[in-house]
Amino acid sequence: IDGDEWTFLISGKSPRAMTQANPADEQSGGWINGRMWTDVLSMSGLKKYEGFETDFCENVSEWQAYFDSAEPHTHPLPGKWQYTLNSFQKLGVLRCLRPDRVPEAIMNF
């Protein structure tokens, strides 16, 4: 397990965070709150998640389906992320979008 990925899963911090406008800001009627978007940008600064924030913005409706899923921890990730991330790295994505499901996902890990 990569140390930076572990730190992110536990704390939400990464050595460098990316910058990008929130594509569906809750303040403007969207579904992405500030904490969630900050976590996505922080995670995107990790090597394995490079480009995640851009891909997320380009496929925001697919990510909303993941977010809206009753069991997102069992739902496939949109696009290439289902195949390029290992099961531990997928926990990072879940932490960003559905932290309420992280404990269950960890038990399944």
Short mmCIF file of all heavy atoms in Angstrom, two decimals, residues 70-100:
data_model
loop_
_atom_site.label_atom_id
_atom_site.label_comp_id
_atom_site.label_asym_id
_atom_site.label_seq_id
_atom_site.Cartn_x
_atom_site.Cartn_y
_atom_site.Cartn_z
N ALA A 70 -27.30 2.97 -4.23
CA ALA A 70 -27.59 2.53 -2.86
C ALA A 70 -26.40 1.80 -2.25
O ALA A 70 -26.22 1.81 -1.03
CB ALA A 70 -28.83 1.63 -2.84
N GLU A 71 -25.59 1.18 -3.09
CA GLU A 71 -24.42 0.45 -2.63
C GLU A 71 -23.21 0.81 -3.49
O GLU A 71 -22.71 -0.01 -4.27
CB GLU A 71 -24.68 -1.05 -2.67
CG GLU A 71 -25.76 -1.50 -1.70
CD GLU A 71 -25.88 -3.00 -1.61
OE1 GLU A 71 -25.48 -3.71 -2.55
OE2 GLU A 71 -26.39 -3.46 -0.58
N PRO A 72 -22.72 2.04 -3.37
CA PRO A 72 -21.63 2.47 -4.23
C PRO A 72 -20.35 1.65 -4.05
O PRO A 72 -19.55 1.54 -4.98
CB PRO A 72 -21.40 3.93 -3.83
CG PRO A 72 -21.93 4.01 -2.43
CD PRO A 72 -23.08 3.05 -2.39
N HIS A 73 -20.16 1.06 -2.89
CA HIS A 73 -18.96 0.26 -2.63
C HIS A 73 -18.94 -1.03 -3.46
O HIS A 73 -17.91 -1.67 -3.57
CB HIS A 73 -18.82 -0.05 -1.14
CG HIS A 73 -20.00 -0.77 -0.57
ND1 HIS A 73 -21.22 -0.17 -0.39
CD2 HIS A 73 -20.14 -2.04 -0.15
CE1 HIS A 73 -22.06 -1.05 0.12
NE2 HIS A 73 -21.43 -2.19 0.27
N THR A 74 -20.07 -1.39 -4.06
CA THR A 74 -20.12 -2.56 -4.95
C THR A 74 -20.36 -2.15 -6.40
O THR A 74 -20.35 -3.00 -7.29
CB THR A 74 -21.23 -3.54 -4.52
OG1 THR A 74 -22.51 -2.90 -4.64
CG2 THR A 74 -21.03 -4.00 -3.08
N HIS A 75 -20.59 -0.88 -6.64
CA HIS A 75 -20.88 -0.35 -7.96
C HIS A 75 -19.57 -0.13 -8.73
O HIS A 75 -18.62 0.38 -8.17
CB HIS A 75 -21.62 1.00 -7.79
CG HIS A 75 -22.30 1.50 -9.00
ND1 HIS A 75 -21.64 2.18 -9.99
CD2 HIS A 75 -23.59 1.45 -9.38
CE1 HIS A 75 -22.50 2.54 -10.92
NE2 HIS A 75 -23.69 2.10 -10.58
N PRO A 76 -19.50 -0.52 -10.00
CA PRO A 76 -18.27 -0.27 -10.77
C PRO A 76 -18.00 1.22 -10.91
O PRO A 76 -18.93 2.03 -11.03
CB PRO A 76 -18.54 -0.88 -12.14
CG PRO A 76 -19.79 -1.66 -12.01
CD PRO A 76 -20.51 -1.19 -10.78
N LEU A 77 -16.74 1.60 -10.90
CA LEU A 77 -16.36 2.99 -11.12
C LEU A 77 -16.52 3.33 -12.59
O LEU A 77 -16.27 2.48 -13.45
CB LEU A 77 -14.92 3.23 -10.69
CG LEU A 77 -14.59 3.03 -9.22
CD1 LEU A 77 -13.11 3.32 -8.98
CD2 LEU A 77 -15.44 3.90 -8.33
N PRO A 78 -16.89 4.56 -12.90
CA PRO A 78 -17.00 4.95 -14.31
C PRO A 78 -15.66 4.95 -15.04
O PRO A 78 -14.60 5.18 -14.45
CB PRO A 78 -17.55 6.38 -14.23
CG PRO A 78 -18.28 6.43 -12.93
CD PRO A 78 -17.44 5.58 -12.01
N GLY A 79 -15.74 4.68 -16.32
CA GLY A 79 -14.59 4.78 -17.21
C GLY A 79 -13.42 3.88 -16.84
O GLY A 79 -13.58 2.79 -16.30
N LYS A 80 -12.24 4.39 -17.11
CA LYS A 80 -11.00 3.62 -16.92
C LYS A 80 -10.70 3.33 -15.47
O LYS A 80 -9.92 2.43 -15.17
CB LYS A 80 -9.82 4.36 -17.54
CG LYS A 80 -9.41 5.61 -16.78
CD LYS A 80 -8.21 6.27 -17.41
CE LYS A 80 -7.74 7.44 -16.56
NZ LYS A 80 -6.53 8.04 -17.11
N TRP A 81 -11.32 4.06 -14.55
CA TRP A 81 -10.99 3.92 -13.13
C TRP A 81 -11.36 2.55 -12.57
O TRP A 81 -10.73 2.07 -11.64
CB TRP A 81 -11.61 5.06 -12.34
CG TRP A 81 -11.16 6.37 -12.90
CD1 TRP A 81 -11.89 7.21 -13.71
CD2 TRP A 81 -9.87 6.95 -12.79
NE1 TRP A 81 -11.12 8.28 -14.09
CE2 TRP A 81 -9.88 8.16 -13.54
CE3 TRP A 81 -8.71 6.58 -12.13
CZ2 TRP A 81 -8.75 8.97 -13.64
CZ3 TRP A 81 -7.59 7.40 -12.22
CH2 TRP A 81 -7.63 8.59 -12.98
N GLN A 82 -12.33 1.90 -13.15
CA GLN A 82 -12.69 0.56 -12.70
C GLN A 82 -11.54 -0.42 -12.93
O GLN A 82 -11.37 -1.36 -12.16
CB GLN A 82 -13.95 0.08 -13.44
CG GLN A 82 -14.39 -1.33 -13.11
CD GLN A 82 -14.80 -1.52 -11.66
OE1 GLN A 82 -15.19 -0.60 -10.96
NE2 GLN A 82 -14.70 -2.75 -11.19
N TYR A 83 -10.75 -0.16 -13.97
CA TYR A 83 -9.71 -1.10 -14.36
C TYR A 83 -8.29 -0.66 -13.97
O TYR A 83 -7.40 -1.50 -13.89
CB TYR A 83 -9.77 -1.35 -15.87
CG TYR A 83 -11.16 -1.74 -16.28
CD1 TYR A 83 -12.01 -0.84 -16.90
CD2 TYR A 83 -11.65 -3.01 -15.98
CE1 TYR A 83 -13.32 -1.20 -17.24
CE2 TYR A 83 -12.95 -3.37 -16.31
CZ TYR A 83 -13.76 -2.46 -16.94
OH TYR A 83 -15.05 -2.81 -17.25
N THR A 84 -8.10 0.65 -13.74
CA THR A 84 -6.76 1.12 -13.44
C THR A 84 -6.47 1.23 -11.94
O THR A 84 -5.31 1.32 -11.56
CB THR A 84 -6.48 2.50 -14.10
OG1 THR A 84 -7.44 3.44 -13.62
CG2 THR A 84 -6.55 2.41 -15.61
N LEU A 85 -7.51 1.22 -11.12
CA LEU A 85 -7.31 1.29 -9.68
C LEU A 85 -7.48 -0.09 -9.06
O LEU A 85 -8.36 -0.85 -9.46
CB LEU A 85 -8.32 2.25 -9.04
CG LEU A 85 -8.29 3.71 -9.51
CD1 LEU A 85 -9.36 4.51 -8.79
CD2 LEU A 85 -6.91 4.33 -9.30
N ASN A 86 -6.65 -0.39 -8.07
CA ASN A 86 -6.84 -1.64 -7.34
C ASN A 86 -7.92 -1.45 -6.27
O ASN A 86 -8.46 -0.34 -6.10
CB ASN A 86 -5.51 -2.16 -6.77
CG ASN A 86 -4.92 -1.26 -5.71
OD1 ASN A 86 -5.62 -0.63 -4.90
ND2 ASN A 86 -3.59 -1.20 -5.67
N SER A 87 -8.25 -2.49 -5.56
CA SER A 87 -9.36 -2.41 -4.60
C SER A 87 -9.08 -1.42 -3.48
O SER A 87 -9.99 -0.73 -3.01
CB SER A 87 -9.70 -3.79 -4.05
OG SER A 87 -8.58 -4.38 -3.46
N PHE A 88 -7.82 -1.29 -3.05
CA PHE A 88 -7.51 -0.30 -2.03
C PHE A 88 -7.68 1.12 -2.57
O PHE A 88 -8.24 1.99 -1.90
CB PHE A 88 -6.08 -0.49 -1.49
CG PHE A 88 -5.73 0.52 -0.45
CD1 PHE A 88 -6.18 0.36 0.86
CD2 PHE A 88 -4.97 1.64 -0.75
CE1 PHE A 88 -5.88 1.31 1.83
CE2 PHE A 88 -4.67 2.58 0.20
CZ PHE A 88 -5.13 2.41 1.50
N GLN A 89 -7.20 1.36 -3.78
CA GLN A 89 -7.30 2.69 -4.38
C GLN A 89 -8.75 3.10 -4.63
O GLN A 89 -9.10 4.28 -4.54
CB GLN A 89 -6.49 2.73 -5.68
CG GLN A 89 -5.01 2.61 -5.40
CD GLN A 89 -4.21 2.16 -6.61
OE1 GLN A 89 -4.74 1.57 -7.56
NE2 GLN A 89 -2.90 2.39 -6.56
N LYS A 90 -9.62 2.13 -4.88
CA LYS A 90 -11.04 2.43 -5.05
C LYS A 90 -11.66 2.94 -3.75
O LYS A 90 -12.63 3.70 -3.78
CB LYS A 90 -11.79 1.20 -5.57
CG LYS A 90 -11.43 0.88 -7.01
CD LYS A 90 -12.08 -0.41 -7.47
CE LYS A 90 -11.63 -0.76 -8.88
NZ LYS A 90 -12.15 -2.05 -9.33
N LEU A 91 -11.08 2.55 -2.61
CA LEU A 91 -11.55 3.07 -1.33
C LEU A 91 -11.35 4.59 -1.26
O LEU A 91 -12.16 5.30 -0.66
CB LEU A 91 -10.82 2.40 -0.17
CG LEU A 91 -11.12 0.93 0.08
CD1 LEU A 91 -10.17 0.38 1.15
CD2 LEU A 91 -12.57 0.71 0.47
N GLY A 92 -10.29 5.08 -1.88
CA GLY A 92 -10.05 6.52 -1.92
C GLY A 92 -11.15 7.26 -2.65
O GLY A 92 -11.62 8.31 -2.21
N VAL A 93 -11.60 6.70 -3.77
CA VAL A 93 -12.69 7.31 -4.52
C VAL A 93 -13.97 7.30 -3.68
O VAL A 93 -14.68 8.30 -3.59
CB VAL A 93 -12.92 6.57 -5.86
CG1 VAL A 93 -14.13 7.14 -6.59
CG2 VAL A 93 -11.67 6.65 -6.74
N LEU A 94 -14.24 6.18 -3.05
CA LEU A 94 -15.41 6.06 -2.20
C LEU A 94 -15.34 7.08 -1.06
O LEU A 94 -16.34 7.71 -0.72
CB LEU A 94 -15.52 4.64 -1.66
CG LEU A 94 -16.79 4.30 -0.88
CD1 LEU A 94 -18.02 4.38 -1.78
CD2 LEU A 94 -16.68 2.91 -0.27
N ARG A 95 -14.15 7.27 -0.49
CA ARG A 95 -13.99 8.23 0.59
C ARG A 95 -14.38 9.64 0.14
O ARG A 95 -14.96 10.40 0.89
CB ARG A 95 -12.54 8.24 1.07
CG ARG A 95 -12.31 9.14 2.25
CD ARG A 95 -10.85 9.55 2.39
NE ARG A 95 -10.63 10.26 3.62
CZ ARG A 95 -10.98 11.54 3.80
NH1 ARG A 95 -11.57 12.21 2.85
NH2 ARG A 95 -10.73 12.12 4.97
N CYS A 96 -14.05 9.98 -1.10
CA CYS A 96 -14.40 11.30 -1.63
C CYS A 96 -15.90 11.49 -1.79
O CYS A 96 -16.45 12.52 -1.41
CB CYS A 96 -13.76 11.50 -3.00
SG CYS A 96 -11.98 11.65 -3.01
N LEU A 97 -16.53 10.50 -2.39
CA LEU A 97 -17.92 10.66 -2.81
C LEU A 97 -18.95 10.13 -1.83
O LEU A 97 -20.05 10.68 -1.73
CB LEU A 97 -18.12 10.01 -4.18
CG LEU A 97 -17.21 10.54 -5.29
CD1 LEU A 97 -17.47 9.81 -6.59
CD2 LEU A 97 -17.39 12.04 -5.48
N ARG A 98 -18.64 9.05 -1.15
CA ARG A 98 -19.60 8.44 -0.22
C ARG A 98 -18.88 7.94 1.04
O ARG A 98 -18.77 6.73 1.27
CB ARG A 98 -20.34 7.29 -0.90
CG ARG A 98 -21.33 7.70 -1.98
CD ARG A 98 -22.55 8.44 -1.43
NE ARG A 98 -23.29 7.66 -0.45
CZ ARG A 98 -24.25 6.78 -0.76
NH1 ARG A 98 -24.59 6.59 -2.01
NH2 ARG A 98 -24.86 6.10 0.20
N PRO A 99 -18.38 8.85 1.85
CA PRO A 99 -17.66 8.43 3.05
C PRO A 99 -18.51 7.59 4.01
O PRO A 99 -17.97 6.81 4.79
CB PRO A 99 -17.22 9.74 3.69
CG PRO A 99 -18.10 10.78 3.10
CD PRO A 99 -18.47 10.29 1.73
N ASP A 100 -19.82 7.70 3.89
CA ASP A 100 -20.71 6.90 4.74
C ASP A 100 -20.59 5.40 4.45
O ASP A 100 -20.94 4.57 5.28
CB ASP A 100 -22.16 7.35 4.56
CG ASP A 100 -22.65 7.21 3.12
OD1 ASP A 100 -21.96 7.67 2.19
OD2 ASP A 100 -23.75 6.66 2.92
#
